[in-house]
Amino acid sequence: MSIYHISLDGDVLKVGFGSTISTGDKIVRDAATRLNQMIVSGELPGGSLIKINGRTSVLVSQVLADKLSILYDAIALFDPKIGDRGLDRYVVTISKHPDYQVGDILDVVQIQQQSSIKLVICGFANTGKTCFREGLKQALLQIPNAPESYFISGCPDGDGSWYGETARRDADLANRLKTEYKAGFTPEFGQLKAQEVRGINTPIFVFDVGGKISNANRLIMGEATHAVILVKDETEVATWEELCESLGLLVVAIIHSDYEGVEDVISQETPILRGNVHRLKRGEDVSVRSMIRALAGVLVGLVSGESKNG
């Protein structure tokens, strides 16, 4: 099974991580092998410009740059954070071509073949939203031919998308970095994060928010289309339901986070997914939880138009 996927679609190189969780050394070897195969077969013919769209790590980006800069005069990477409605935006990162300068932004009209959703995971503090988000990310990667997805943190608590994988390998390092990255939840942060959410237009975009009902959270959540409510107690649900309703968000799941539980319980599948998810513990792979897998299926269904929820 391929660890890192690479394919060419016109002048866009589509890249992304497979469902197998692996270390950086194995990932870069897999990426290099795939690129070498494409070069030898003539699948990568070379030319003036190639655009790269998909998930990369710092390590993989080095391999891509090394291999592709020999074949192409200029390389541009898709940046979902500066997108706009109807446009994908690519930033030129390498150029030996007079028509392209490093830092140039290339606007590409989106070909909208699917519906898209922006899902916010909300709920009070300490419900396991960050852990849940990481598990959902991995669960989507495990679905064959799932729509492209993108995940970010919508709160300044230091829990970036890197946290789950780092915690599995070195819990002390993850906690130290989290403390260093933690920042205040200011109005400026809310405005910038809302702008970021607004600009990302992948088919499935997921983010979590802070555990308080605040103006900043309202601003950020207002850019979403759908919501998951994650709670520790049933009495917490109504508050977040009211907020989601006021923002016009479609709630697709209401889930009880049962840290002491030993198995997930799905009590209702439609029109809203309901039940329990157990033991959302940092550093554990929770993508195998049946509730998280069920939600991943709901999201794929929403994008493909097969779900009864949307």
Side-chain angles (χ1 to χ4, degrees):
M1 181 181 295
S2 179
I3 299 172
Y4 196 74
H5 300 298
I6 305 176
S7 62
L8 189 64
D9 182 6
D11 65 348
V12 177
L13 194 69
K14 298 291 186 71
V15 299
F17 294 94
S19 60
T20 303
I21 298 176
S22 190
T23 55
D25 58 321
K26 295 179 181 178
I27 294 171
V28 296
R29 281 197 293 268
D30 192 68
T33 298
R34 173 59 180 145
L35 285 169
N36 287 336
Q37 291 171 345
M38 296 175 74
I39 292 170
V40 171
S41 68
E43 192 175 349
L44 282 173
S48 60
L49 171 69
I50 189 167
K51 300 190 286 288
I52 301 173
N53 190 318
R55 292 191 185 91
T56 64
S57 64
V58 173
L59 297 177
V60 169
S61 68
Q62 296 287 307
V63 177
L64 292 169
D66 176 60
K67 301 289 185 182
L68 297 175
S69 61
I70 298 172
L71 299 172
Y72 294 88
D73 297 329
I75 300 173
L77 269 68
F78 173 61
D79 187 347
K81 294 183 180 180
I82 61 171
D84 200 354
R85 298 187 188 281
L87 290 177
D88 285 338
R89 286 186 165 144
Y90 292 79
V91 179
V92 176
T93 57
I94 293 177
S95 180
K96 298 171 287 187
H97 195 290
D99 293 343
Y100 303 104
Q101 301 298 316
V102 172
D104 282 353
I105 295 177
L106 310 178
D107 289 347
V108 178
V109 176
Q110 295 170 357
I111 301 175
Q112 199 69 28
Q113 298 177 329
Q114 299 173 302
S115 301
S116 62
I117 62 172
K118 296 187 178 186
L119 178 80
V120 58
I121 301 172
C122 61
F124 290 116
N126 302 315
T127 55
K129 293 190 296 293
T130 300
C131 186
F132 188 91
R133 184 194 71 207
E134 178 63 20
L136 183 59
K137 172 183 174 181
Q138 296 301 327
L140 281 166
L141 287 173
Q142 293 165 21
I143 297 177
N145 303 314
E148 183 183 357
S149 58
Y150 189 74
F151 288 70
I152 67 168
S153 173
C155 48
D157 60 3
D159 279 343
S161 59
W162 53 270
Y163 186 88
E165 185 174 352
T166 304
R168 279 194 293 273
R169 295 173 181 161
D170 190 333
D172 291 337
L173 174 62
N175 288 327
R176 185 166 70 250
L177 291 174
K178 176 181 176 179
T179 300
E180 293 175 2
Y181 295 159
K182 189 170 185 178
F185 214 139
T186 63
E188 292 77 14
F189 174 86
Q191 292 169 1
L192 288 172
K193 189 59 66 172
Q195 180 179 351
E196 181 179 348
V197 171
R198 189 180 313 124
I200 297 174
N201 294 293
T202 51
I204 298 176
F205 171 48
V206 181
F207 64 99
D208 59 340
V209 291
K212 295 181 179 179
I213 307 293
S214 65
N215 289 334
N217 267 346
R218 286 189 179 91
L219 185 64
I220 299 168
M221 290 176 61
E223 299 297 334
T225 59
H226 297 71
V228 168
I229 298 174
L230 188 64
V231 298
K232 290 189 293 186
D233 188 276
E234 187 66 27
T235 60
E236 301 173 352
V237 173
T239 300
W240 291 96
E241 278 188 309
E242 291 171 6
L243 177 59
C244 291
E245 182 178 358
S246 71
L247 296 173
L249 307 184
L250 178 64
V251 177
V252 296
I254 298 174
I255 302 170
H256 175 222
S257 178
D258 182 8
Y259 186 81
E260 301 299 331
V262 295
E263 64 179 355
D264 288 9
V265 176
I266 299 176
S267 58
Q268 176 180 299
E269 294 184 358
T270 60
I272 296 176
L273 181 64
R274 291 178 179 265
N276 295 0
V277 61
H278 77 284
R279 193 176 170 78
L280 293 176
K281 184 178 181 180
R282 296 178 187 274
E284 288 191 6
D285 178 13
V286 301
S287 66
V288 297
R289 303 287 193 268
S290 59
M291 175 57 78
I292 291 178
R293 288 189 172 185
L295 178 60
V298 168
L299 299 185
V300 171
L302 282 169
V303 172
S304 64
E306 298 172 358
S307 175
K308 298 179 181 179
N309 292 7

